Amino acid sequence: MTPKPTMRTVAAKAGVSIATVSRVINCPDEVPTETVERVRAAMAYLKYRPNMNGRRLKMAQTRSVGVLVPTMANPVFATSVQGIAQAAHEDGLTVLLTSSEYDPERELGAVSTLLNNRVDGLILTLANADDNRVIDLLISENIPFVLLFNQPSRTDVASISVDNAKSAYDITQAMIAQGHRKLAMVAGRFESSDRSRQRYDGFCQAINDAHQKDGAAMAAPRLCQVGFGETDLEGILESFLTGPDAVTGLVCSTDMLAIAAISACRTYGLSVPGDVSVGGIDGIAVGGLITPKLCSAVQPTQKMGQQALAFLLGLIRGQTEPQSLLLPHQLSTGESIGPARHQSSPRL
Amino acid sequence: MTPKPTMRTVAAKAGVSIATVSRVINCPDEVPTETVERVRAAMAYLKYRPNMNGRRLKMAQTRSVGVLVPTMANPVFATSVQGIAQAAHEDGLTVLLTSSEYDPERELGAVSTLLNNRVDGLILTLANADDNRVIDLLISENIPFVLLFNQPSRTDVASISVDNAKSAYDITQAMIAQGHRKLAMVAGRFESSDRSRQRYDGFCQAINDAHQKDGAAMAAPRLCQVGFGETDLEGILESFLTGPDAVTGLVCSTDMLAIAAISACRTYGLSVPGDVSVGGIDGIAVGGLITPKLCSAVQPTQKMGQQALAFLLGLIRGQTEPQSLLLPHQLSTGESIGPARHQSSPRL
DNA sequence: ATGAACATTTGAAACGTTTACAATGGCGGA
DNA sequence: TCCGCCATTGTAAACGTTTCAAATGTTCAT
């Protein structure tokens, strides 16, 4: 088998120099059609493939972007990657994909690898966007990057997100409006997700506001923290769903948790929304298909991915001021939230 | 700002040659510790980052793999990519991700791009694994690759899959065992998915076997084809769920379709499994959490991704015989399949 | 003292591109 | 005829690595 053809091989075959071959590839307009055709013929005959690594080595830009998400197992992130991949395809960019499994150490390692690959820029969903070594690293190396789903408190980094606190606030408020007074939030561990914390803050805020401004007799907000990848919430939710202090509504910091929570309710013989109301945040596709239809603060996940890439391209092209964009979320009209059970004693 | 440090910069700083720097990076054992430390110090001081593109240009292997899936929006593929990314991380491989949107043209384009990047090998989920130009291309270029979820009929390509026909057969049989006689399959378009066709074949086979071997009074198998990304099945399912010929069971070629089908049944006032039984194939995580719990032929999606990468590594290392692995699927004990409604006239 | 054997290091040539610059040749105007 | 201009093409030097062969220095048995 002959070795892989290079520009040199093609040049020899077509009886031209490699500079001409390069020109045929990159700017065919500056080369007479007759020559272009001869070179193209040679390329086809030899099944020539330009070697991107050679090109990258020479050029300032690599036309590749790095992507880091916590995990692909959560449809939210998968869908955002779908958006990124789509937009990247349209711009002819190569996507290098990594996942952190919610582990800050791995975040740093993954980004480091991506930088070794000399990506032109990065799109990141970090566990915690504040006081993060990854961000310091990227800024010190002066690499364009866009945060996705993170809402950093600092203003000098670009990000695309929904308003996490507001999302949680709104869905909580929707429950309060239905008469719920004893609420708990089900959320991922704060160390592993700043979104989780921001959403919890919104949850608490909604309860406090209802309490103080509207004088509603709200019970103190409660919190049920869940490890990531945890799908079996039965045990963990027991103290929230049974006994005299049982809540009537669960606000979940993600739709995956919400769906798992609904499932857990069922195992306690509690109906949703008859006995317990459940709300989510994210708006994953499957949420709209299940019974009861999940009520959620929906974010345009895929669009956000596309948008993030568009942003990144701007930064790469030298746009100096990093922008932050907070996209609007939307409460879906779901059935998983209903009127609060009226003071009936909880079962069991 | 100083230009990016290279091996040359480091070498100068440490007072050695670039060859020594290279050895410190690649085989520190062959260099006296004193020198290693001096070089390492220089690297740290200069914040040196090895440039993978330089390395790739020189070396035979690039330590990168290309991945092509139809879409990230389907949790099945996302989860498999999760498995791939995880395994790749463990081996220090870079993952280049592309998606085809179920479009054969884009499949070819994406693979071509990946080849231009000189990936060491590919993991592909193709629309149609038989008579596919992508496969011809890869074989002619002698690039290692593994098919994922595809079951090619030819034996000279490596693949990881479950037995699609058998999966469909089993879930169909489960329905027949519950007394169902009028069944339809809901499936994606065959042109865009050979899995879809294979699953349909299994569906038909199960019905024929029940008819001929067990003498069950099976109605002829029916087929409802759905475009990809289609999530609203109400209109499309009308003729299957209503009228005198309404079926009592829907076998769906993917879990996403099954969940959508259950949702559609609801809009016709049909309960699952009371009025209609619904079964899926794939075993996506969310299926186990919804109400009714989805009965599905579960495949170990994430493991399959990991396995595919392991396979690919074997091929890259020069393992000559491509293997095909059919992993066992497992019927999940779901609630979405129940006894057939006994000859009661279908509603409206 | 001599040279063999060895450990350590270096020089230099790739790898496949891009691109600044130079060379070539044809042409029209003076 | 000569000159300059333009269009076309070619030459050669990068880009940042790896790696082979060669050089240097050290140690040790003779």
Side-chain angles (χ1 to χ4, degrees), chain A residues 9-24:
Chain A
T9 333
V10 174
K13 182 83 191 169
V16 297
S17 75
I18 63 170
T20 301
V21 177
S22 177
R23 265 182 239 114
V24 168

Side-chain angles (χ1 to χ4, degrees), chain B residues 186 224 233-242 250 260-261 264-265 268:
Chain B
V186 183
C224 172
L233 301 188
E234 295 178 30
I236 233 167
L237 277 180
E238 181 174 9
S239 63
F240 294 84
L241 293 176
T242 61
L250 292 172
C265 288
Y268 286 106

Side-chain angles (χ1 to χ4, degrees), chain B residues 92-111:
Chain B
L93 296 175
T94 299
V95 172
L96 276 57
L97 179 74
T98 58
S99 70
S100 70
E101 312 301 321
Y102 294 97
D103 174 355
E105 281 311 311
R106 275 184 67 163
E107 282 181 354
L108 196 59
V111 167

Side-chain angles (χ1 to χ4, degrees), chain A:
Chain A
M1 208 193 47
T2 58
K4 270 216 168 358
T6 90
M7 287 187 56
R8 236 170 288 272
T9 333
V10 174
K13 182 83 191 169
V16 297
S17 75
I18 63 170
T20 301
V21 177
S22 177
R23 265 182 239 114
V24 168
I25 293 174
N26 298 307
C27 40
D29 314 325
E30 302 174 17
V31 179
T33 37
E34 196 272 333
T35 314
V36 171
E37 277 167 16
R38 199 147 38 93
V39 173
R40 291 245 168 91
M43 295 200 293
Y45 177 80
L46 295 167
K47 296 187 201 305
Y48 167 74
R49 270 184 191 295
N51 184 328
M52 290 307 178
N53 296 313
R55 167 181 310 205
R56 289 207 180 95
L57 184 54
K58 181 66 192 177
M59 304 228 296
Q61 306 229 330
T62 59
R63 301 208 50 77
S64 63
V65 298
V67 173
L68 172 67
V69 292
T71 175
M72 289 295 207
N74 187 329
V76 188
F77 304 127
T79 310
S80 76
V81 170
Q82 167 72 9
I84 294 172
Q86 221 167 270
H89 174 80
E90 285 168 17
D91 272 278
L93 296 174
T94 299
V95 172
L96 277 59
L97 180 75
T98 58
S99 71
S100 69
E101 312 300 321
Y102 294 96
D103 174 357
E105 281 311 310
R106 274 185 68 164
E107 282 181 354
L108 197 60
V111 166
S112 203
T113 306
L114 293 174
L115 290 182
N116 290 350
N117 281 282
R118 297 298 191 271
V119 292
D120 290 336
L122 299 166
I123 297 176
L124 313 164
T125 300
L126 298 172
N128 189 332
D130 289 324
D131 186 34
N132 187 309
R133 288 158 69 201
V134 170
I135 294 187
D136 298 340
L137 173 64
L138 291 173
I139 288 183
S140 80
E141 301 238 1
N142 205 25
I143 304 287
F145 69 101
V146 175
L147 298 181
L148 186 52
F149 298 118
N150 292 113
Q151 266 180 284
S153 52
R154 55 197 294 177
T155 159
D156 57 344
V157 308
S159 69
I160 306 261
S161 176
V162 296
D163 187 330
N164 285 309
K166 188 74 171 25
S167 300
Y169 189 98
D170 288 355
I171 196 108
T172 308
Q173 207 172 39
M175 282 202 195
I176 296 173
Q178 294 269 18
H180 293 271
R181 293 298 176 261
K182 293 176 168 181
L183 297 173
M185 169 163 261
V186 184
R189 307 218 161 275
F190 294 158
E191 319 88 79
S192 313
S193 166
D194 54 4
R195 278 150 288 141
S196 214
R197 163 160 282 293
Q198 289 158 351
R199 290 170 182 186
Y200 180 64
D201 289 345
F203 168 73
C204 293
Q205 191 66 48
I207 291 177
N208 285 341
D209 282 1
H211 193 61
Q212 297 182 357
K213 295 185 186 165
D214 309 336
M218 301 301 302
R222 296 172 69 186
L223 173 65
C224 172
Q225 282 208 319
V226 183
F228 284 96
E230 202 75 60
T231 176
D232 188 358
L233 301 187
E234 296 178 31
I236 232 168
L237 277 180
E238 181 174 10
S239 63
F240 294 84
L241 294 176
T242 62
D245 286 334
V247 301
T248 66
L250 291 173
V251 178
C252 303
S253 90
T254 72
D255 280 359
M256 284 303 277
L257 284 176
I259 293 172
I262 292 176
S263 168
C265 288
R266 254 196 323 145
T267 69
Y268 286 107
L270 300 169
S271 87
V272 177
D275 297 311
V276 182
S277 286
V278 176
I281 302 176
D282 280 344
I284 62 181
V286 83
L289 298 173
I290 64 174
T291 311
K293 183 160 172 247
L294 183 61
C295 188
S296 175
V298 180
Q299 42 188 332
T301 317
Q302 187 164 340
K303 282 252 168 59
M304 288 167 72
Q306 296 174 319
Q307 185 70 248
L309 190 72
F311 252 54
L312 185 61
L313 282 181
L315 292 178
I316 290 173
R317 297 215 188 89
Q319 190 170 95
T320 129
E321 277 307 305
Q323 294 183 52
S324 275
L325 192 61
L326 276 192
L327 294 172
H329 59 273
Q330 210 171 0
L331 282 200
S332 67
T333 62
E335 305 144 352
S336 65
I337 295 183
R341 200 179 46 207
H342 186 58
Q343 289 302 88
S344 73
S345 63
R347 316 185 179 185
L348 226 290

